[in-house]
Amino acid sequence: MRISFCQGLLTGAIILNLLILYYVSRAQQQMMEKRKELGRGTRRGHSRGPRVTVLLREFENFENYVGDVANSFLRQRPELPFLAVADTSPYPPLVLPEGARLLVLSPSPDQPPQAHRPEFHVQTEFVLLVPDGVELEQPRAIERLIRELEGEGGGPVRLVAAPVLARSAVQCLHLRVNLREWTATYSPAASGSSGSVCTALQGDAVVLIRTEDLFNLSVPLGRPLFSSLFVQTALRGWKVKLLESPCFSANHRPLFSSAHNQWKADTRLKEATGKLMRSFGLKRLLLPDGKEQWYGCSKETPRCFGTVQDDTPDYLYLDRWTPPCCLRALRETTKYVINILESSGVRYWLEGGTLLGAVRHQDIIPWDYDVDLGIYLEDVPNCDHLKNLDSGSLVDANGYVWERAVEGDFYRVQYSEANHLHVDLWPFYPRNGVMTKDTWTEHKQDVEFPEHFLQPLVPMPFAGITAYGPNNHRAFLELKFGEGVIENPQYPNPSKKRLERSKL
C-alpha cells in the first residue's frame, strides 16, 4: 500500500506530538522527584533554605505593630521569610523592613491570580502563625516547635502552639463541630504538666503548622484566624499541642492604646466572626462558659430557608437538618400559641409530624420546618386572635402574625412579620363520630379519623412544655402515616430526599 504525502505528513506530526508529550512528562516527573528529594533533605536538616515562613494575619489598620513584629523576627532570624497578610491594602500603608512582604488577598483585575493566593507565596515546609505585637527573643524557640511537631510523627497532632507572655494566657479547648445541626460546641480541655493536647485554643498564642496542611484547608487564612483554623482542623480530626514553654514575649499588651480603639477592634472581631460562621454554616456556638452565640435568623430577619418545594426544604439537600435558630423560633411560637389556645378554651392536639416528633423526641422532629396543631372548629369563636380572621391578618402585641392561610381553610401563626416560621392550626369538626374538615391537602396524613382519639386528650411533653395529644398516639399515627412510622423515621418526601439510617 502506497502512503500519500499528506498521510506521511500526518503520521510525522503525530509522532512529533507524542515525543513532545513524552519529554514534557519526563521533565514534570523529574521536577516532582527533585521536590521530593528537597523535602527529604529538609526533613534530614540538610536544606540550605529556611524551613519556616512567619505569617502575621490578624492586625488592625487603625493601630498595629506589624513592622515591629517583622523587625523582631528578622533581627534574630534574618533568613526567615516574613509575610503580612491582609484582605485589602492597609491604610495607612504598612511600613515593613527589608525582608518582609505584604500579601493582599483581594484580587485585582491587573494582576495574575497567583498574586493574591497565599500558597504561591509560601515555599517553606512550615508556617508560623503569629499574632500582632509578638516578639522573638529566643531564636531557638522556633526549632523547639518544629521538633515537637515532627516528634508527633504525622499522628493526630498536626499543630503545635506556644503561649504569648504566659501559659495562663491560653486556654486549651475541646471543639465539636456538628455541621448537620449547624452547631459548634466548645468545652474546657484537661491540662497536663508537659503540654495539653486539644482541638482548639482560646487566647494569645503562636501556632506552627505544616504548609501542606494549612493550604489543604478550604479557608486557610479566614478571619478570625483561630476560629477559622480550629473549626476546619476539628472537622478533620486534627489536634493542637499547647506547650508550657517557650513563651513568646510581647511589649504591646494590651494591644490597643485606647478604649476607643479596643472598642473598634472588638466590633470588627464580632463582625468578622459572624461573617465567618455564616460562611461555614454555623448558626449556634456553645461557649466554654455555657453561654450561646447565635448567627441565624431572628424575629427581625427572614428565616434561614426559602419557600419549601415538594415538602423538602433546601437544607435537606445539603445533608443538614433544621437550623437551630429556626427550631428555637418554632418552639417559642408553639409555646405562645398553645398558651393562648388554652387560656381561650380552644381544644387542640398535636397533629401529624408534630405529634410524631413529640412521641419520638418529646420535641420537634430535627428536620421539620413547621408545627401542626388540630383544633375544634366550634371553639374558634372563643379566641379573639382567630375569630376575626375572615380576611387579612393580625399582628399581636408580641409581634406574632395571625392569619387565615391562603392555601385552604386553616389558620397560620407566624413568628414575626419578617420571619415566616409558623404554626398551622387545622380546624376539624365531628360528623357521625368522625373528625373531618372542609378542605384537604395532598399530604397522605391529612385524613379523617375517629373522634374517640380526642376523648379524652392526654398531656404529653413537647418542646419544653406539656401539650395535649390524642389518647392512643400509636394508633393515631399509624392511621395517618402507616404501620411502624414511629420506629422508622424518614424525610417528608423520600422520593426527593431519603434519610440515610446510618446518619441518625
Side-chain angles (χ1 to χ4, degrees):
M1 182 180 68
R2 299 181 63 183
I3 299 176
S4 68
F5 174 77
C6 290
Q7 288 173 327
L9 187 63
L10 179 61
T11 302
I14 292 173
I15 293 172
L16 180 61
N17 283 331
L18 289 173
L19 287 172
I20 291 173
L21 287 172
Y22 171 75
Y23 283 110
V24 168
S25 175
R26 281 291 304 274
Q28 290 177 335
Q29 185 176 0
Q30 289 172 357
M31 289 178 63
M32 291 177 63
E33 289 174 353
K34 287 181 179 179
R35 287 183 180 178
K36 290 180 180 179
E37 182 62 33
L38 178 61
R40 288 192 289 268
T42 299
R43 287 189 290 272
R44 290 194 298 265
H46 298 313
S47 174
R48 295 178 181 178
R51 302 186 68 188
V52 180
T53 295
V54 182
L55 192 150
L56 199 165
R57 176 69 173 109
E58 296 280 7
F59 62 90
E60 299 293 350
N61 294 349
F62 52 83
E63 183 177 4
N64 65 72
Y65 304 95
V66 177
D68 292 348
V69 177
N71 274 316
S72 169
F73 277 83
L74 294 175
R75 186 167 50 248
Q76 298 285 356
R77 301 291 302 273
E79 81 283 4
L80 296 183
F82 187 98
L83 193 62
V85 180
D87 293 316
T88 58
S89 295
Y91 179 81
L94 294 178
V95 179
L96 297 175
E98 184 178 355
R101 293 179 297 131
L102 171 68
L103 171 63
V104 177
L105 298 179
S106 298
S108 176
D110 61 336
Q111 296 291 325
Q114 60 267 29
H116 307 279
R117 293 170 59 179
E119 62 268 28
F120 285 97
H121 297 261
V122 179
Q123 303 300 320
T124 56
E125 186 181 357
F126 299 96
V127 176
L128 189 70
L129 304 171
V130 300
D132 192 11
V134 76
E135 293 180 320
L136 179 64
E137 287 187 344
Q138 305 173 32
R140 308 303 298 175
I142 297 175
E143 275 64 33
R144 165 75 190 283
L145 295 177
I146 292 175
R147 288 195 303 272
E148 288 286 348
L149 188 53
E150 289 183 323
E152 294 297 330
V157 172
R158 306 291 278 269
L159 308 94
V160 171
V164 175
L165 294 181
R167 171 64 178 80
S168 59
V170 191
Q171 185 180 10
C172 216
L173 303 175
H174 176 64
L175 170 60
R176 184 176 62 86
V177 181
N178 189 331
L179 291 180
R180 186 180 68 182
E181 297 180 4
W182 313 74
T183 299
T185 303
Y186 294 86
S187 56
S191 299
S193 58
S194 60
S196 302
V197 174
C198 49
T199 50
L201 300 177
Q202 183 179 53
D204 220 358
V206 169
V207 174
L208 182 77
I209 184 173
R210 288 183 177 85
T211 303
E212 181 182 13
D213 285 346
L214 178 64
F215 293 120
N216 274 334
L217 300 178
S218 302
V219 188
L221 296 176
R223 291 194 65 228
L225 183 59
F226 274 11
S227 297
S228 172
L229 183 67
F230 293 123
V231 165
Q232 296 175 87
T233 56
L235 283 168
R236 289 160 173 79
W238 300 356
K239 296 182 182 298
V240 55
K241 184 175 184 179
L242 177 60
L243 306 179
E244 299 292 329
S245 64
C247 290
F248 283 74
S249 58
N251 284 335
H252 304 290
R253 291 297 185 275
L255 189 58
F256 301 102
S257 58
S258 70
H260 179 67
N261 278 358
Q262 183 65 61
W263 172 81
K264 287 170 63 176
D266 291 343
T267 301
R268 286 170 57 86
L269 175 63
K270 184 177 179 180
E271 292 172 352
T273 301
K275 182 178 179 180
L276 177 77
M277 294 305 159
R278 282 186 283 271
S279 70
F280 281 177
L282 292 173
K283 299 183 181 297
R284 182 187 182 212
L285 301 189
L286 296 174
L287 303 179
D289 59 5
K291 295 181 180 179
E292 294 178 311
Q293 289 181 353
W294 295 84
Y295 298 100
C297 59
S298 66
K299 266 189 177 290
E300 291 72 36
T301 67
R303 68 184 184 184
C304 294
F305 55 95
T307 302
V308 177
Q309 305 287 338
D310 300 317
D311 297 325
T312 308
D314 57 12
Y315 50 79
L316 290 185
Y317 292 109
L318 302 174
D319 289 323
R320 297 195 175 202
W321 289 352
T322 311
C325 50
C326 297
L327 291 174
R328 179 180 64 168
L330 284 173
R331 293 185 189 105
E332 290 179 8
T333 306
T334 302
K335 294 174 187 177
Y336 183 77
V337 170
I338 284 178
N339 182 60
I340 287 178
L341 294 178
E342 290 181 348
S343 62
S344 302
V346 176
R347 290 166 290 174
Y348 73 90
W349 59 95
L350 304 178
E351 254 292 348
T354 302
L355 176 63
L356 195 54
V359 173
R360 284 195 196 136
H361 312 282
Q362 293 77 56
D363 202 348
I364 299 168
I365 292 176
W367 51 84
D368 210 351
Y369 54 89
D370 63 6
V371 168
D372 293 313
L373 301 178
I375 60 174
Y376 271 86
L377 177 62
E378 63 188 271
D379 293 344
V380 168
N382 297 340
C383 180
D384 292 336
H385 293 76
L386 296 176
K387 67 181 180 181
N388 296 318
L389 289 180
D390 291 334
S391 62
S393 61
L394 165 70
V395 181
D396 68 20
N398 294 291
Y400 293 90
V401 181
W402 299 69
E403 62 184 5
R404 181 181 288 272
V406 297
E407 304 96 314
D409 189 20
F410 65 98
Y411 301 98
R412 176 165 289 159
V413 186
Q414 295 179 165
Y415 187 46
S416 71
E417 291 183 275
N419 192 325
H420 294 172
L421 288 160
H422 57 265
V423 172
D424 286 334
L425 305 176
W426 302 92
F428 285 80
Y429 58 89
R431 185 173 59 195
N432 300 324
V434 174
M435 297 300 292
T436 188
K437 54 191 179 77
D438 293 331
T439 60
W440 302 90
T441 68
E442 296 179 356
H443 299 122
K444 66 177 183 179
Q445 69 268 23
D446 192 21
V447 295
E448 297 177 331
F449 59 91
E451 188 179 13
H452 66 71
F453 282 113
L454 309 180
Q455 296 176 339
L457 293 166
V458 297
M460 57 192 311
F462 178 70
I465 62 173
T466 298
Y468 283 94
N471 55 60
N472 187 341
H473 57 254
R474 175 175 291 276
F476 185 86
L477 288 170
E478 292 190 344
L479 170 67
K480 295 259 182 176
F481 294 98
E483 187 175 353
V485 64
I486 297 174
E487 293 78 18
N488 298 286
Q490 188 49 259
Y491 289 152
N493 190 345
S495 67
K496 296 296 180 180
K497 179 67 176 178
R498 292 192 63 83
L499 172 63
E500 297 179 24
R501 299 299 296 271
S502 61
K503 294 184 178 181
L504 286 175

